[in-house]
Amino acid sequence: MKFVTLLKMAEKLNELIIDEIAWKSIKNDGLDIQYSIPIPRPLAFAIIKELDETLEYFTGDLAKIKVFGKIYPLPRQQVAYGDPGITYTYSNLTVPALPWPDPVLALRNFIFKIKGIKYNFVLVNKYRNGNDHMGEHRDNEPELDPTVPIASLSFGAERTFVLKHRDARKSGPNKKPIPPVSITLEHGSVLFMNPPTNEFWYHSLPKRKKIRGPRINLTFRKIR
């Protein structure tokens, strides 16, 4: 029964007509983002159910993070998948890429169909409710290919994605009055952070205490 569910999910993703996807483009001072909701809600619900039933998240040291020398539990659940031998280091945490599970491979194939890029790594974050969050950061680690966009897929509760220009975060005379950009990441949505976005813009997923439902986000990356 599980195989049939997964097979149908992959078939439905493959049936989506890429040329008919309507993209919203956001560009501003180094920011280059494309956003759309190409996955119909019934299929998106089937996908999050499949992910919920099959994915297992890191525990122990891989479920912790070091901030200013102190170690804290990650304010979300996390796991990583990718090609053999790949690791990814951020915030003094090195995560290994586990072997690709079939549901995640189906989503990688969907992104390849859209963008023509075969990503070799994905970071999966589960936000159990509105208290789970992601702090401000840039995905500009040296092992990432800076010419390849980061592809983000969202399933579940809608959350606000906030981007801030690096010069707007400064203090004193070097601070620039560049307003932040907020995007509501909807159920079944895809967002591409195209270069040079992560060179100039920080992004975060702030707390939203009124949100009770879970959200699963997959960020596909190309490791050099």
Side-chain angles (χ1 to χ4, degrees):
M1 182 63 69
K2 179 64 63 180
F3 175 77
V4 171
T5 302
L6 177 60
L7 180 61
K8 285 183 177 178
M9 185 189 104
E11 287 177 347
K12 291 294 184 183
L13 282 170
N14 194 51
E15 289 171 1
L16 295 177
I17 302 174
I18 302 304
D19 292 342
E20 294 182 358
I21 297 175
W23 293 97
K24 178 181 180 180
S25 179
I26 304 173
K27 295 186 178 183
N28 178 21
D29 202 346
L31 182 70
D32 186 352
I33 285 196
Q34 292 171 280
Y35 176 77
S36 187
I37 313 168
I39 301 175
R41 290 183 71 83
L43 179 55
F45 279 118
I47 291 171
I48 194 172
K49 183 176 185 294
E50 183 72 22
L51 296 175
D52 249 340
E53 291 178 354
T54 58
L55 302 190
E56 295 184 6
Y57 296 90
F58 288 140
T59 59
D61 289 342
L62 290 175
K64 299 174 183 178
I65 193 168
K66 183 182 287 186
V67 181
F68 298 118
K70 293 185 178 181
I71 297 176
Y72 302 92
L74 275 172
R76 57 193 176 275
Q77 292 180 291
Q78 189 173 88
V79 67
Y81 303 104
D83 292 350
I86 286 180
T87 61
Y88 179 58
T89 301
Y90 73 98
S91 299
N92 299 307
L93 176 68
T94 298
V95 296
L98 303 180
W100 293 99
D102 288 336
V104 180
L105 270 180
L107 292 169
R108 184 181 74 159
N109 291 340
F110 175 62
I111 292 296
F112 177 79
K113 187 177 177 182
I114 293 175
K115 205 72 170 176
I117 298 170
K118 188 175 182 180
Y119 290 93
N120 58 5
F121 179 85
V122 66
L123 198 61
V124 182
N125 284 291
K126 181 177 181 180
Y127 301 87
R128 292 157 289 194
N129 52 52
N131 288 313
D132 280 2
H133 61 281
M134 176 85 75
E136 290 185 354
H137 68 287
R138 290 181 293 170
D139 293 327
N140 62 343
E141 288 76 19
E143 62 262 48
L144 290 176
D145 187 333
T147 68
V148 175
I150 291 177
S152 172
L153 279 73
S154 297
F155 301 98
E158 295 181 2
R159 294 291 294 267
T160 303
F161 187 68
V162 180
L163 299 111
K164 292 183 180 178
H165 194 282
R166 65 183 185 186
D167 293 340
R169 301 173 77 251
K170 296 177 180 178
S171 58
N174 293 323
K175 184 172 183 176
K176 294 184 178 179
I178 303 173
V181 175
S182 295
I183 304 170
T184 300
L185 299 178
E186 300 175 65
H187 187 37
S189 65
V190 175
L191 179 143
F192 288 106
M193 286 190 284
N194 297 312
T197 299
N198 273 291
E199 180 181 348
F200 297 100
W201 291 77
Y202 286 74
H203 58 271
S204 65
L205 197 84
K207 286 185 179 181
R208 293 291 184 265
K209 293 186 177 181
K210 292 183 179 180
I211 293 177
R212 299 182 182 275
R215 169 181 180 262
I216 295 179
N217 174 251
L218 303 92
T219 47
F220 289 87
R221 304 148 194 256
K222 186 66 175 292
I223 305 290
R224 290 190 283 191

